[in-house]
Amino acid sequence: MNTQVLIQTIKQQAWTDASGAVVPLKFVPELDKKKETLAAKVHKHALAAEKNLNELHALMHNATEEIKRMVKQEFELKEQKGRGKGKGSITWYNFDKSIKIEADMNDVVKWDEAMMTEALQLLNKYLDKSLGEEKQLIKELVASAFSNSKGCIDTSKIFQLLKYENKMKSIIYTKACELMRNAQGIDKTKLYMRVWEKMEDGSYRNVNLNFSSL
């Protein structure tokens, strides 16, 4: 997809705004000139960082796959039943264990909206009958499971609700759990990779590749 980014400089006699109108440079506010300069600089560095991250991701993935192939060959390991090619988790080190690299394959769960809506209705029906101490916990789980902070299904909370099925001893609750299990599907399999470096005290520090946590 071609970018529509336009970088304008004070060397130009006129600038073009978002509507396509041409504005003589002398009428462009100083604040907009400064924002243009800084936005261009941030954009340039962001593209460079994106390129570096893509190259790092490819390098880590290829290195991990090579190590997995060598380990399997050396010890004549068989791939675990039910795992596809390239799936699975592995942790490996350099020679003195000062560098640790982890690779985890995790399935991203998707939920059938119609089934989950029906399950929620049954859970609410179950909770409406009475509300003891244990049911209060279920009520809180239901509230957060079906609408997390991002307004989406919280998979971990759904799995917690499923664990309570035998304790609840309710036909309605069991039916809701059945619907939730049937609503579960796999959207995609995501690869998570982490690099760690050993510190003086023997602990490992995770090399921070998460922009939002800097």
Side-chain angles (χ1 to χ4, degrees):
M1 183 180 295
N2 295 327
T3 178
Q4 296 297 309
V5 171
L6 173 64
I7 305 300
Q8 304 177 89
T9 72
I10 57 173
K11 294 181 180 180
Q12 299 171 228
Q13 293 184 351
W15 285 14
T16 303
D17 67 13
S19 68
V22 176
V23 181
L25 182 62
K26 64 180 180 180
F27 294 126
V28 176
E30 289 301 316
L31 177 58
D32 287 336
K33 292 176 182 177
K34 175 57 69 174
K35 289 194 291 185
E36 186 77 7
T37 300
L38 293 177
K41 185 179 294 186
V42 169
H43 179 253
K44 178 181 177 180
H45 283 274
L47 290 178
E50 180 185 44
K51 182 175 181 291
N52 288 335
L53 281 174
N54 284 331
E55 291 175 350
L56 174 60
H57 185 274
L59 174 63
M60 291 174 65
H61 180 269
N62 292 336
T64 297
E65 288 301 307
E66 184 175 356
I67 293 299
K68 286 167 70 175
R69 284 194 297 269
M70 293 178 68
V71 169
K72 181 180 177 182
Q73 183 178 20
E74 182 176 352
F75 295 101
E76 298 181 346
L77 296 177
K78 301 293 184 181
E79 287 187 351
Q80 295 182 28
K81 185 178 180 181
R83 291 191 180 273
K85 184 178 180 181
K87 275 194 173 185
S89 302
I90 185 173
T91 299
W92 54 284
Y93 301 82
N94 66 332
F95 192 66
D96 71 349
K97 295 186 182 295
S98 59
I99 299 173
K100 177 172 70 171
I101 298 174
E102 294 179 326
D104 296 320
M105 275 291 198
N106 293 324
D107 291 331
V108 178
V109 178
K110 65 177 181 180
W111 301 94
D112 182 277
E113 186 176 344
M115 286 187 178
M116 293 303 283
T117 298
E118 188 177 350
L120 177 58
Q121 291 172 347
L122 287 172
L123 288 170
N124 286 332
K125 181 179 179 181
Y126 167 72
L127 292 170
D128 284 343
K129 290 189 173 182
S130 62
L131 199 62
E133 184 176 341
E134 197 165 36
K135 282 191 176 181
Q136 180 61 40
L137 173 61
I138 298 298
K139 183 178 181 180
E140 293 172 0
L141 271 177
V142 169
S144 56
F146 285 84
S147 183
N148 62 17
S149 59
K150 296 181 180 179
C152 304
I153 297 293
D154 189 320
T155 299
S156 63
K157 297 290 179 63
I158 294 294
F159 289 154
Q160 288 183 49
L161 287 170
L162 292 173
K163 289 180 180 179
Y164 279 93
E165 181 178 359
N166 293 332
K167 292 183 179 180
M168 296 300 103
K169 295 181 170 53
S170 164
I171 296 176
I172 297 176
Y173 194 95
T174 297
K175 178 60 178 176
C177 289
E178 182 181 338
L179 282 166
M180 289 188 287
R181 277 192 289 269
N182 291 335
Q184 181 183 346
I186 302 301
D187 183 28
K188 58 185 176 180
T189 300
K190 195 166 185 178
L191 175 64
Y192 295 91
M193 292 182 288
R194 290 170 292 274
V195 180
W196 304 76
E197 58 181 3
K198 198 169 188 177
M199 308 303 289
E200 290 183 357
D201 62 0
S203 64
Y204 283 90
R205 183 189 78 87
N206 185 14
V207 178
N208 191 359
L209 302 175
N210 184 357
F211 186 78
S212 63
S213 63
L214 291 177

